[in-house]
Amino acid sequence: MNRPIGVIDSGVGGLTVLHELNRQLPTEKFIYLGDTLRCPYGPKEEIDVQQYTWEMVHYLMKFEIKMLVIACNTATALVLEQLKDNLPIPVIGVIESGARAAIKATQTNQVGIIGTENTIQSEAYERALKRIKPHINTLGVACPNFVPMIENGDFVSLNAKRIVEGSLQFMNHHPRIDTLILGCTHYPIIQPLIEEVIGENVTVLSSAVETGFEVSTVLTFYELFNTNQQENQEPLIFTTGSLQVFQRLKEEIFQLKSATLKQVSLT
Amino acid sequence: MNRPIGVIDSGVGGLTVLHELNRQLPTEKFIYLGDTLRCPYGPKEEIDVQQYTWEMVHYLMKFEIKMLVIACNTATALVLEQLKDNLPIPVIGVIESGARAAIKATQTNQVGIIGTENTIQSEAYERALKRIKPHINTLGVACPNFVPMIENGDFVSLNAKRIVEGSLQFMNHHPRIDTLILGCTHYPIIQPLIEEVIGENVTVLSSAVETGFEVSTVLTFYELFNTNQQENQEPLIFTTGSLQVFQRLKEEIFQLKSATLKQVSLT
């Protein structure tokens, strides 16, 4: 099944997932689309996020993708079920795998979640966690400043650290939490800052690694593995907005040097 | 879907998988069957392992299981495809998840595998690893003495340590390996000994934790999660042989105190 796998996000955040997919599944071909022009999705109306997500999906379906990975927590929270019900290919979000990773990691069953306003308000993580382990306790905190900061290329400055400290203040007053889910695929880009602020007693988890594992599992179950055994396929990266931060992240952080980067229009 | 999940092994080894399943999926009901009477499967003829495995499966199908977990690497290597092709329920082995765990963990792409004679000779791990990541290098070593030793309840003695040292001697002369797969579900029971012998530069992985993750993923995809939200379901543990080592392991090591343990006959 030598067709590509589609990966979508509101912006650059999904590159954290693409990086893991590319590492764990080197014979697969990935096509990534980040809707940087309309980012952030976190504070937008649900109906707008649905429309934008469908536009991305329609764009990628032209490439005959065999599977869709929604590498965006907001779109997973608001559109996953619709996409699963209506697309003829397997669709994988990032929330289930993040929830499963937390269940594997927590010893105290006290789990924190940080994400965009939409993701936190949707309580999608709480539902995913409690469906599997009903007596788990959760604390969700929205961090609306993180995505705009990261999309602006600010990952390490003193200003970035102050924003992280301010956003996690409430979380820090709940010392019983032993596991923190980065419920937004942008956040692993500032994971060192988050870990510094939250302290060493809390395991900080992104869903990127486990989403790679989950995509691999589903490829096996649907017998969709690429039969072309050539490794290190070059990903295609599309964005609706500026190429600048993409360029920097793909080379400096994700070693995706050979990836092709291109600006596209969805409308 | 409030039906149980079946778990089979040649003996007590699969308890390492049952423990993780029970921890990660506390609302699910598990029925375990260990064929201690005919253990070990590792050195047996393929046709015998197939027959024994099918006898276990027929026994568990009477309980209307909704999913089957083959918590035995030998049976996974020799019977998984047959079971997948012929059973009306999802079937999950332990080799794919062990391979995926190694791909997540390795930095050098040099992966060692230890298992029974049958598992190593089948090269099932090599195939699973190379299908996903063709340029990975593997070294498989059969450790035929481990399973009989563990089934005899010998996990920590000086004799056990000597057996582990002797079996891993060859592996130790290949210092480039950075990841070692415990390709037999019995081996996590002696994981401290194996880690001591193999040294701190090698990450030792069992597939138990990741099999739990994989079962959780498949339950989601097939919409098979238990809708009864009662946690800490009591597992049923059946064995064809002696109850003694089961009793000791379930209480001392796996905190499955409330599990019901019973001897049964398959023939």
Side-chain angles (χ1 to χ4, degrees):
Chain A
M1 177 61 85
N2 299 333
R3 282 157 46 194
I5 296 172
V7 183
I8 57 173
D9 180 45
S10 63
V12 297
L15 291 179
T16 59
V17 178
L18 179 67
H19 174 65
E20 272 301 320
L21 290 169
N22 214 46
R23 192 179 74 83
Q24 292 183 40
L25 299 162
T27 67
E28 297 296 326
K29 172 91 178 175
F30 297 98
I31 304 184
Y32 181 97
L33 175 53
D35 193 10
T36 303
L37 189 69
R38 299 184 289 201
C39 191
Y41 281 11
K44 295 232 165 39
E45 292 294 322
E46 183 168 345
I47 196 162
D48 291 331
V49 174
Q50 287 172 347
Q51 187 201 317
Y52 300 165
T53 304
W54 273 107
E55 283 173 11
M56 285 202 278
V57 171
H58 287 310
Y59 187 86
L60 288 187
M61 290 301 276
K62 288 187 284 190
F63 293 88
E64 298 193 326
I65 54 173
K66 64 182 173 186
M67 183 186 279
L68 176 68
V69 181
I70 314 174
C72 173
N73 284 267
T74 306
T76 300
L78 303 183
V79 205
L80 174 65
E81 293 308 319
Q82 260 187 32
L83 292 168
K84 270 187 168 175
D85 290 346
N86 289 287
L87 288 177
I89 54 173
V91 183
I92 293 177
V94 281
I95 289 180
E96 288 275 351
S97 53
R100 271 189 266 277
I103 286 168
K104 267 202 308 189
T106 183
Q107 300 292 324
T108 63
N109 287 328
Q110 310 286 333
V111 174
I113 305 130
I114 54 176
T116 67
E117 305 93 305
N118 267 330
T119 300
I120 297 301
Q121 274 164 28
S122 75
E123 299 190 335
Y125 272 101
E126 283 77 355
R127 280 200 306 281
L129 287 161
K130 284 176 188 289
R131 190 177 59 167
I132 302 174
K133 202 159 191 174
H135 293 134
I136 221 157
N137 289 312
T138 60
L139 173 68
V141 172
C143 302
N145 297 321
F146 289 4
V147 170
M149 178 180 95
I150 293 164
E151 289 282 332
N152 282 329
D154 189 5
F155 321 138
V156 287
S157 73
L158 197 60
N159 176 53
K161 194 179 170 193
R162 283 207 192 107
I163 287 177
V164 173
E165 279 171 345
S167 303
L168 297 185
Q169 210 167 16
F170 181 63
M171 193 66 88
N172 268 342
H173 292 151
H174 285 73
R176 289 176 314 164
I177 286 167
D178 74 341
T179 304
L180 176 66
I181 299 175
L182 302 183
C184 172
T185 53
H186 283 75
Y187 296 179
I189 296 168
I190 54 165
Q191 188 159 343
L193 278 185
I194 293 170
E195 285 178 340
E196 195 186 327
V197 171
I198 203 80
E200 60 187 4
N201 295 329
V202 178
T203 305
V204 176
L205 295 175
S206 92
S207 50
V209 177
E210 303 299 352
T211 299
F213 192 94
E214 194 145 325
V215 168
S216 183
T217 301
V218 174
L219 286 174
T220 302
F221 257 79
Y222 286 88
E223 295 183 0
L224 287 174
F225 263 108
N226 205 333
T227 50
N228 174 350
Q229 288 282 281
Q230 206 186 328
E231 276 199 45
N232 302 318
Q233 299 273 337
E234 185 180 287
L236 268 174
I237 301 177
F238 297 136
T239 168
T240 58
S242 159
L243 299 176
Q244 203 187 344
V245 179
F246 269 96
Q247 192 70 41
R248 199 177 134 200
L249 280 172
K250 97 177 168 75
E251 292 189 6
E252 277 177 32
I253 301 192
F254 298 120
Q255 288 97 46
L256 292 167
K257 274 184 187 150
S258 69
T260 302
L261 183 58
K262 202 178 151 191
Q263 198 180 41
V264 297
S265 169
L266 297 183
T267 48
Chain B
M1 176 64 83
N2 298 333
R3 282 157 45 193
I5 296 173
V7 184
I8 57 174
D9 180 45
S10 64
V12 297
L15 291 179
T16 59
V17 178
L18 179 67
H19 173 65
E20 271 303 319
L21 290 169
N22 213 47
R23 191 179 76 82
Q24 292 184 39
L25 298 162
T27 67
E28 297 296 325
K29 172 90 177 176
F30 297 98
I31 304 184
Y32 181 95
L33 175 53
D35 193 10
T36 302
L37 188 69
R38 298 184 290 201
C39 191
Y41 281 11
K44 294 233 168 39
E45 292 294 321
E46 183 168 345
I47 195 162
D48 291 331
V49 174
Q50 287 172 347
Q51 187 200 317
Y52 300 165
T53 303
W54 273 107
E55 283 173 11
M56 284 202 280
V57 171
H58 287 311
Y59 188 87
L60 288 187
M61 289 301 276
K62 288 186 285 191
F63 293 88
E64 297 193 327
I65 55 173
K66 64 183 174 185
M67 181 186 282
L68 175 68
V69 181
I70 314 176
C72 172
N73 283 268
T74 307
T76 300
L78 303 183
V79 205
L80 174 65
E81 292 310 318
Q82 260 187 31
L83 292 168
K84 270 187 167 174
D85 290 346
N86 289 286
L87 289 177
I89 54 173
V91 182
I92 292 177
V94 282
I95 289 179
E96 288 276 352
S97 53
R100 273 190 265 277
I103 286 168
K104 268 201 307 189
T106 183
Q107 301 291 325
T108 63
N109 287 329
Q110 311 286 334
V111 174
I113 304 130
I114 54 175
T116 67
E117 304 94 305
N118 267 329
T119 300
I120 297 302
Q121 275 166 28
S122 75
E123 298 189 337
Y125 271 101
E126 284 77 356
R127 280 200 305 281
L129 286 161
K130 283 175 188 289
R131 190 177 59 167
I132 302 175
K133 202 159 191 173
H135 293 135
I136 221 157
N137 289 312
T138 60
L139 173 68
V141 171
C143 302
N145 297 322
F146 289 5
V147 171
M149 179 181 95
I150 294 164
E151 289 281 332
N152 281 329
D154 187 4
F155 320 138
V156 289
S157 73
L158 196 60
N159 175 55
K161 196 181 169 193
R162 282 207 192 107
I163 287 177
V164 172
E165 279 171 345
S167 304
L168 297 185
Q169 209 167 16
F170 181 64
M171 193 67 87
N172 267 342
H173 292 151
H174 286 73
R176 292 174 311 164
I177 286 167
D178 74 339
T179 304
L180 176 66
I181 300 174
L182 302 183
C184 172
T185 52
H186 282 75
Y187 296 0
I189 296 169
I190 54 165
Q191 188 160 343
L193 276 186
I194 293 170
E195 285 178 340
E196 195 186 326
V197 170
I198 203 81
E200 61 188 5
N201 294 329
V202 178
T203 305
V204 176
L205 296 175
S206 92
S207 51
V209 177
E210 302 300 351
T211 300
F213 191 94
E214 194 146 325
V215 168
S216 183
T217 301
V218 175
L219 285 174
T220 301
F221 257 80
Y222 286 89
E223 296 183 359
L224 287 176
F225 262 108
N226 206 334
T227 50
N228 174 351
Q229 289 282 281
Q230 206 186 328
E231 275 199 47
N232 301 318
Q233 299 274 336
E234 185 180 290
L236 267 176
I237 301 177
F238 297 136
T239 168
T240 57
S242 158
L243 300 175
Q244 203 186 344
V245 179
F246 269 96
Q247 192 70 41
R248 198 177 133 200
L249 280 172
K250 97 177 170 71
E251 293 189 6
E252 278 178 30
I253 301 191
F254 298 121
Q255 289 98 46
L256 292 166
K257 277 187 185 145
S258 69
T260 301
L261 183 57
K262 201 178 151 192
Q263 198 180 40
V264 297
S265 170
L266 296 183
T267 49

